Amino acid sequence: LLAGAFVIHVRRVRPLSHLFKIGFDSSEANALIRFSIAVLVSGALVPAARLWVQRAVISLYGIDANGLLQVPFAVNAYYTPFLTNALWGRMHPAVTRLGPTPEGRHELTTAIRLIVVMATTAIVAILFLKDLLVPLAYSRAFLPATRLLPAQLVGDYLYFVALPFTVYALGLSRLRVYLAAWVGYSLVAVAASFVLMRWVGLVGV
């Protein structure tokens, strides 16, 4: 339906032949493949790292502990798109168009300011409402998971503040920087989790 609406609207503006031309451009294809590999690898690293950590959690503390761990992970998954989708939708195309210019850097600065305000608001709200949200989304049996939320939310905040820099790097096609950031993020997450959970239990994850 969306594609159909797009075609109908575009045909009123200009002929489709002006927009879509059959052909092959090796430089564009090379750029697209490099971009796709960077996004694919970075997108796969985080869940792979999380699975590795969860395997260790089950091995050390059992399946019930892993169930409690799902609560902070799920809370993160619920509210993250509200912060990140706007960032990707606005900042990435703007930086791609503007490049490393003062205007492009202004987009980065604006994104950081907005994400700080939005993340702070969301995190404070979750901290205040956690004892209501967890039973509402799961059951009272999962209430012990609320003690994991403060540590998770501190990590979330740092993640949100750092994310605009990775989007900026991707917008400038600095794929090595983008990929290095996500590889580093995943390695630190795994290493820190493995070390800390032996000292402070699930909070370490």
Side-chain angles (χ1 to χ4, degrees):
L1 287 172
L2 185 61
F6 169 78
V7 169
I8 291 167
H9 176 72
V10 167
R11 287 181 66 184
R12 293 174 181 170
V13 179
R14 63 177 63 185
L16 290 178
S17 60
H18 289 189
L19 291 175
F20 302 105
K21 294 180 181 179
I22 297 174
F24 181 80
D25 186 316
S26 59
S27 62
E28 289 292 334
N30 182 48
L32 181 61
I33 288 169
R34 289 171 58 243
F35 179 89
S36 300
I37 289 171
V39 173
L40 175 66
V41 171
S42 63
L45 276 172
V46 175
R50 181 169 288 180
L51 281 173
W52 199 11
V53 170
Q54 287 180 273
R55 183 174 175 270
V57 167
I58 293 171
S59 169
L60 283 172
Y61 303 111
I63 197 76
D64 289 349
N66 188 56
L68 291 179
L69 201 57
Q70 298 312 303
V71 174
F73 287 169
V75 168
N76 170 273
Y78 290 148
Y79 81 99
T80 291
F82 292 103
L83 278 69
T84 58
N85 285 1
L87 183 71
W88 279 100
R90 161 70 196 215
M91 183 184 169
H92 183 260
V95 171
T96 301
R97 177 172 52 85
L98 296 168
T101 61
E103 291 81 6
R105 288 190 290 275
H106 176 71
E107 288 290 336
L108 174 61
T109 305
T110 302
I112 293 168
R113 288 173 179 166
L114 284 173
I115 209 85
V116 163
V117 172
M118 293 168 65
T120 302
T121 304
I123 286 168
V124 169
I126 291 168
L127 282 172
F128 272 106
L129 299 172
K130 66 182 187 298
D131 292 327
L132 295 173
L133 292 174
V134 170
L136 188 66
Y138 296 93
S139 70
R140 297 194 66 81
F142 285 88
L143 271 174
T146 56
R147 70 184 179 85
L148 305 176
L149 280 172
Q152 172 72 36
L153 293 170
V154 168
D156 286 355
Y157 184 80
L158 298 174
Y159 169 87
F160 290 131
V161 172
L163 186 64
F165 293 98
T166 65
V167 178
Y168 184 75
L170 191 64
L172 297 180
S173 294
R174 293 177 180 167
L175 300 180
R176 290 179 181 175
V177 173
Y178 177 80
L179 201 52
W182 283 107
V183 169
Y185 172 80
S186 300
L187 290 175
V188 167
V190 169
S193 295
F194 272 68
V195 171
L196 292 175
M197 69 180 168
R198 285 170 169 78
W199 291 351
V200 290
L202 291 182
V203 176
V205 177

